[in-house]
């Protein structure tokens, strides 16, 4: 559904990825799996593999230093109600970074 890259003052680029519930349910149906809410799908290894392929495709368009090396799948979208988006749906990076600080730190705790 959404993605925010992180990496200022960090050794590499990471990303926070949210899941579109309709897209997730469609993917699960197409793969013979039961629909589940996004918060229950974040640890699905098959889904992580699909997301990794998408990240790998995106990384082909940028240099190695600009490429996403690690990502975290979040169980909820960035929303205006949570303060993550402006009324015009622009990302409020500081709010996302604050609210998902643990997930961001975990991206960098796993060193290559």
């Amino acid at each position: 559904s959404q993605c925010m890259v992180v990496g200022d003052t960090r050794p590499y680029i990471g990303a926070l990825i949210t899941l579109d519930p309709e897209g997730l349910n469609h993917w699960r149906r197409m793969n013979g799996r039961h629909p589940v809410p996004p918060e229950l799908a974040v640890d699905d290894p098959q889904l992580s593999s699909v997301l990794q392929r998408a990240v790998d495709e995106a990384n082909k368009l940028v240099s190695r230093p600009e490429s996403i090396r690690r990502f975290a799948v979040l169980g909820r979208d960035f929303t205006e109600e949570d303060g993550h988006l402006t009324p015009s749906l622009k990302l409020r990076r500081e709010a996302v970074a604050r609210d998902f600080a643990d997930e961001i730190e975990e991206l960098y705790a796993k060193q290559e």
Side-chain angles (χ1 to χ4, degrees):
S1 180
Q2 300 160 319
C3 179
M4 183 177 103
V5 295
V6 295
D8 276 354
T9 71
R10 303 290 189 147
Y12 52 84
I13 304 295
L16 301 176
I17 298 174
T18 68
L19 302 172
D20 175 62
E22 289 179 29
L24 174 63
N25 284 335
H26 175 76
W27 176 81
R28 293 185 72 84
R29 277 192 310 275
M30 296 300 292
N31 289 281
R33 305 178 81 196
H34 296 291
V36 297
E39 59 271 12
L40 297 178
V42 297
D43 295 321
D44 184 319
Q46 217 177 352
L47 179 60
S48 290
S49 178
V50 170
L51 293 173
Q52 183 63 62
R53 285 195 304 268
V55 167
D56 292 345
E57 284 299 311
N59 282 343
K60 289 179 182 178
L61 303 174
V62 297
S63 68
R64 173 82 171 146
E66 297 171 312
S67 66
I68 296 168
R69 307 259 187 99
R70 301 223 187 277
F71 63 87
V73 181
L74 305 178
R76 61 186 174 116
D77 253 344
F78 304 135
T79 66
E80 185 179 352
E81 294 79 24
D82 290 336
H84 301 141
L85 300 175
T86 68
S88 62
L89 303 181
K90 293 183 178 107
L91 199 60
R92 290 187 168 153
R93 294 182 58 79
E94 289 180 16
V96 173
R98 178 191 63 240
D99 291 350
F100 295 98
D102 291 343
E103 290 83 350
I104 293 170
E105 287 306 315
E106 184 67 22
L107 291 173
Y108 297 99
K110 303 174 187 171
Q111 292 296 317
E112 286 189 32

